[in-house]
Amino acid sequence: YQRRVHGVGDPSYFLECNKVKKVGQVVRAICLMDHPIPNISENAKSCQIIIPQSELKRQNDVYVSCTSFVHKVCPDGWYIALVSTTVETATPTAELEAGLKLLGPVKEQFVSVSDVYEPISAGREDKCFISKSMDASSHFESCAHDILDMYERIMGTPYDVDAKDPQQDA
């Protein structure tokens, strides 16, 4: 039996040991509202809007996602909207304006700017496997790709989505 020690974590755990590098920033606004996003189907208690970069003369899209009390993430009658994008200028909050304009009146707004990091190495040598920071997207596609990449770096083979659970046949 050979014991294998692995370190698996988010970049924030590795900032001081030179295992990650900063690759940008993301600005996010969390907005609390007592109404759905206007001009969306009245039955929509949640939605996702992607404002294309070309429409805004930007290098990155602006993402708007909204969820509500129906999903049990806030009290009845309330909605939570998240507006985010990759920072391109010295005024990150202003970069959210196109998305914020879609929301209508906002009761409370919380804005944050976060650094985005990625691992410097694959982690195979030191067994320290680090994910990338969450990007600005609201559909989690890049997060899913990062998880699959980490699986392959840790296990040495790609994840097989068609593999059967050996316990099913038992």
Side-chain angles (χ1 to χ4, degrees):
Y1 170 75
Q2 180 182 5
R3 183 177 176 172
R4 295 182 185 200
V5 177
H6 293 286
V8 179
D10 172 271
S12 63
Y13 292 100
F14 302 95
L15 295 177
E16 296 179 12
C17 51
N18 297 324
K19 292 188 179 292
V20 296
K21 64 180 176 183
K22 181 179 171 182
V23 293
Q25 291 184 306
V26 171
V27 58
R28 293 180 178 91
I30 299 171
C31 302
L32 305 179
M33 307 178 305
D34 60 0
H35 59 85
I37 295 177
N39 304 316
I40 304 290
S41 169
E42 286 190 37
N43 295 327
K45 302 297 185 214
S46 66
C47 70
Q48 177 170 276
I49 302 166
I50 301 173
I51 306 172
Q53 59 187 7
S54 58
E55 244 181 68
L56 303 171
K57 296 181 176 48
R58 292 178 43 84
Q59 295 175 2
N60 296 279
D61 298 336
V62 172
Y63 299 90
V64 179
S65 63
C66 183
T67 190
S68 68
F69 59 95
V70 173
H71 302 98
K72 307 296 183 204
V73 296
C74 53
D76 283 353
W78 284 86
Y79 296 77
I80 300 174
L82 176 66
V83 181
S84 58
T85 192
T86 301
V87 174
E88 297 178 8
T89 69
T91 55
T93 305
E95 297 181 54
L96 297 175
E97 196 56 41
L100 292 172
K101 280 197 280 188
L102 298 175
L103 302 182
V106 171
K107 293 287 186 183
E108 191 79 40
Q109 179 175 295
F110 308 92
V111 177
S112 66
V113 177
S114 305
D115 292 336
V116 176
Y117 295 94
E118 64 183 36
I120 292 173
S121 72
R124 291 185 189 97
E125 293 78 33
D126 62 1
K127 304 296 183 208
C128 190
F129 300 99
I130 305 168
S131 67
K132 295 178 181 178
S133 298
M134 295 294 291
D135 66 12
S137 66
S138 57
H139 49 65
F140 301 107
E141 181 179 357
S142 58
C143 181
H145 287 294
D146 192 30
I147 291 167
L148 292 172
D149 174 65
M150 283 186 68
Y151 180 92
E152 186 171 351
R153 287 189 281 138
I154 294 167
M155 303 304 290
T157 59
Y159 180 73
D160 183 359
V161 295
D162 296 320
K164 289 187 177 185
D165 181 358
Q167 296 298 321
Q168 279 184 329
D169 296 332

